Amino acid sequence: MKLSWIKIAWRNLASKPLSTALSMALLAFGVGMVSLMMLAEHQLRDAFDRNIKDIDMVLGAKGSPLQLILANVYHVDAPTGNIRLADAEKVMRHPYVAEAIPLAYGDNFQRYRIVGTEPSYVEHYGAELAEGRLWETPFEVVVGARVAREAGLKLGDTFFSSHGLLDETDVHTDKTFTVVGVLEESRSVLDQLLLCNVQTVWGVHEHEGEEVDPEVTAVLLKKRNPLAVLTLPNLISDTNMQIALPAIEVNRLTQNFGLGLGTLRTIALLIMALSFASIFISVYDSLLARRYELALMRTMGSSARGLYGSLLLEGGLLSLGGVVLGAVVSRVGIALLATLVEDKFRYDLNALAILPSEWLLAAAAIAVGLLAAAIPGLRALRLDISRTLSDA
Amino acid sequence: MIATENLTFQYAPETPMLRFPDVVCAAGDRLLLLGDSGCGKTTLLHLMSGLLRPATGTVTVAGTVLGGLTGRELDRFRGAEVGIVFQRAHFVQSLTVLQNLALPGFLSGKGTEGGEERARAMLERLGIGEKADKRPRDLSIGEQQRAGIARALIHSPSVLLADEPTSALDDRSTERVIALLESEADRVGAALVVVTHDTRLKDRYANRVTLNPVMEQA
C-alpha cells in the first residue's frame, strides 16, 4: 500500500480515462506528425546524399536538368535522351575531369534497369561483390543485391531483357544475358540495377548490316579543377548535350518538397496547440472538481507546493504518454511510407533510429504538458483550505 | 492535549471580530463544543487545527504552539498530530479506501506504523473490512463516515477533531458513531473534541463549552 506522488497522479489520470485518452491522442498525433516529417526529410536527404557521392556533374542530352539527374543519378525518372559517344568523349577526356563514368540505358529485366557502364561505376559507390566476378564480355551482367533478391537471380542464371525501362512485354529473345556476379548490399542505387558493359546495350539493338553510331545516355563526371563547372558547359554549347549539377538540382527539389512539409508541419503544430488546450482544460476541470480533495490533502499534511507538484506530475505523465505514443505513430507512419516509396521508386526508407531533433521535439512536447498544467495549477497554490472545507 | 487561550479571529478587515472562550482537552480526555449554527464553531475548529491563523491568542497542540510554526511546518504538524472527522466524509476519489488510509502517513511524512495490516485491522474493527479495496464512492454514507473516522486516526494523532459528526445520522447511527469515535480515540490516546449543535450529544461529556456569538466591532 505504498503511496507516492506518481501513483496518486497516475490514479487521478486513470480515473477519468476518456479525457486522459483525448489529451494523449491529440498530443500523440501532433508529436507523431512532426517527427514523421523530420524522419521523412532526414531519410530522403540521406538517400539523396548517399547517391550523389562525389558526382559533381552529369553530362547528358538536353532537357530538364532535374530529370537528367533523377534519371541518371537516382534512376527514378526517364532519361532525357541519348548523346553520341564521340561528342561526349570531348568532355570525358578534358583535363579538368578527374573521372568519367558512362551510362547507357536500354532495357529492363522485370522492370529493373539494365545499365551499360564501366567497372569504375561499381568502385565509385564502394560496392563489393558478394559472389562471382565483374562483367568482361558483352551480355555478362552483375546484378545488384536487391535485384538478385527480388527477381530471384543468382550466379549462372540466364535471362532475356525487355525493351525500354519499364515495359515488360517486348522481350528481346535473340540475346541471352548471363549473370556472372552478384553485388553485396551497398545502400546505393547499385542495389537496384543490373550492370553490364556499354557494348551490351549497343548489341541488343544492333541489327544485321546496320552501322550504329555509338551512343550513351549520360556520363557521370567528377571534376579535377573547380573551373570545370564554368568551362565544360561552353565546350558543349553547340551540341544536343547539357551538363547538370546534382547538388543544385537536389537542393531545388528538396526546397520545393520542403514547402509541402512546411504546411504539414504547421498543421502538426496546430494539433499540438490543441492538445495544449485539451490538457489545460482537463487539468483545470479536475482541479475544480477536486478542490475539496486538495483541501483535504492539505489537512492531512500536504504542503501547497506538494499539491502543485502533483498537478504538474499529472500534466507531465500525460504528455510523456503522448510523446511515447507519438513516437510509435511516426514509426508506423514511416514504415507505411517506406513500403509505398519502395514500391514506386524502389528506394528504402528505413532505420528507425531516433534523431537528435526528435529528442528536442519530445522535450518541447513535455514542456507543453507541464505548462498546460502549471497555469491552472496556480489555483492549487492559492487554495483557501478553510473556506473550501466550509463550502462543501 | 489541546488548549486555546484568548483566541480572536477576523475574516476580513471591517468585519466583526470573533472572540472565543478558552478551551482545554487533555490526552485521552473528551471535550464538547456546543452552539447553534453560525456562532463560529467551524471557525474555532479550523483555528484549533491550524487551518486558520488567529488574530490574537494561541493554540497549543501536544506542547507545540501552532503560531510559532512556519506554513510548511504547520502543514506537516497538522498532518501528523491532528485528525479531523468532517460532517460528511470526503475522500480522494481516485484512490481506494485503503489507499486513502495511507494518505495521512504519506502526506505528513510521518509514515503509518504497521501500514496495510494496521489499516485493514482498523477497517475490520469498524465493520467495513471488506470495503478496503473499493472506491470511496461505492460505500454507503454510513460506511463513508466510518472510513472517515479510520482515516482521521490511522496515524495516531494527538488530537481528534470531529465537526458535526452525527448531524446527518439517525439516533441509532449517532450512538454507534459517537461510540466508535470514543473507543478509537482512546485506543491511540488522543484528545477528542466534538463540535456539534446536535442536542442528543449535549450532556454526553462533563467537559463542555457553549459558544455564543460573541462579537465586537473591530
Side-chain angles (χ1 to χ4, degrees), chain A residues 1 3-5 7-8 11-12 15 292-293 296-304 385-386 389-390 392, chain B residues 46 51-52 72 75 78-79 86 90-95 98-99 102-104 106-108 116 135 151:
Chain A
M1 203 180 49
L3 277 181
S4 63
W5 283 116
K7 187 166 181 179
I8 293 172
R11 304 273 356 152
N12 275 327
S15 70
Y292 197 93
E293 287 187 12
L296 194 69
M297 287 166 87
R298 291 291 307 277
T299 71
M300 291 189 280
S302 168
S303 64
I385 321 169
S386 173
L389 290 174
S390 306
Chain B
H46 286 181
L51 293 173
L52 291 175
R72 179 69 195 113
D75 284 333
R78 177 196 317 121
F86 298 95
H90 282 268
F91 299 91
V92 175
Q93 294 293 345
S94 59
L95 301 178
L98 203 62
Q99 286 168 334
L103 275 176
F106 168 68
L107 293 175
S108 68
E116 180 169 345
R135 291 299 156 89
R151 186 186 54 206

Side-chain angles (χ1 to χ4, degrees), chain B residues 9-86:
Chain B
F9 181 78
Q10 200 175 14
Y11 272 101
E14 310 296 315
T15 58
M17 179 77 82
L18 301 168
R19 189 169 288 280
F20 298 98
D22 293 352
V23 301
V24 63
C25 184
D29 211 348
R30 287 118 197 219
L31 167 68
L32 208 51
L33 287 177
L34 298 161
D36 295 326
S37 303
C39 68
K41 292 194 304 289
T42 299
T43 306
L44 178 56
L45 189 109
H46 286 181
L47 286 169
M48 290 168 84
S49 55
L51 293 173
L52 291 175
R53 291 201 184 249
T56 65
T58 57
V59 178
T60 310
V61 173
T64 301
V65 178
L66 297 189
L69 301 173
T70 65
R72 179 69 195 113
E73 286 167 352
L74 184 57
D75 284 333
R76 278 183 177 273
F77 183 81
R78 177 196 317 121
E81 300 304 331
V82 181
I84 307 178
V85 175
F86 298 95

Side-chain angles (χ1 to χ4, degrees), chain B residues 119-140:
Chain B
R120 283 193 187 277
M122 196 156 187
L123 290 173
E124 207 63 61
R125 218 163 41 236
L126 296 179
I128 47 175
E130 78 283 8
K131 307 284 183 182
D133 300 307
K134 292 257 191 304
R135 291 299 156 89
R137 71 168 64 88
D138 297 331
L139 272 59
S140 72

Side-chain angles (χ1 to χ4, degrees), chain A residues 268-303:
Chain A
L269 287 176
L270 272 174
I271 296 179
M272 279 177 81
L274 269 180
S275 70
F276 171 83
S278 152
I279 295 176
F280 186 99
I281 291 168
S282 151
V283 172
Y284 189 82
D285 253 12
S286 81
L287 206 72
L288 286 184
R290 277 162 39 205
R291 228 177 43 239
Y292 197 93
E293 287 187 12
L294 295 176
L296 194 69
M297 287 166 87
R298 291 291 307 277
T299 71
M300 291 189 280
S302 168
S303 64

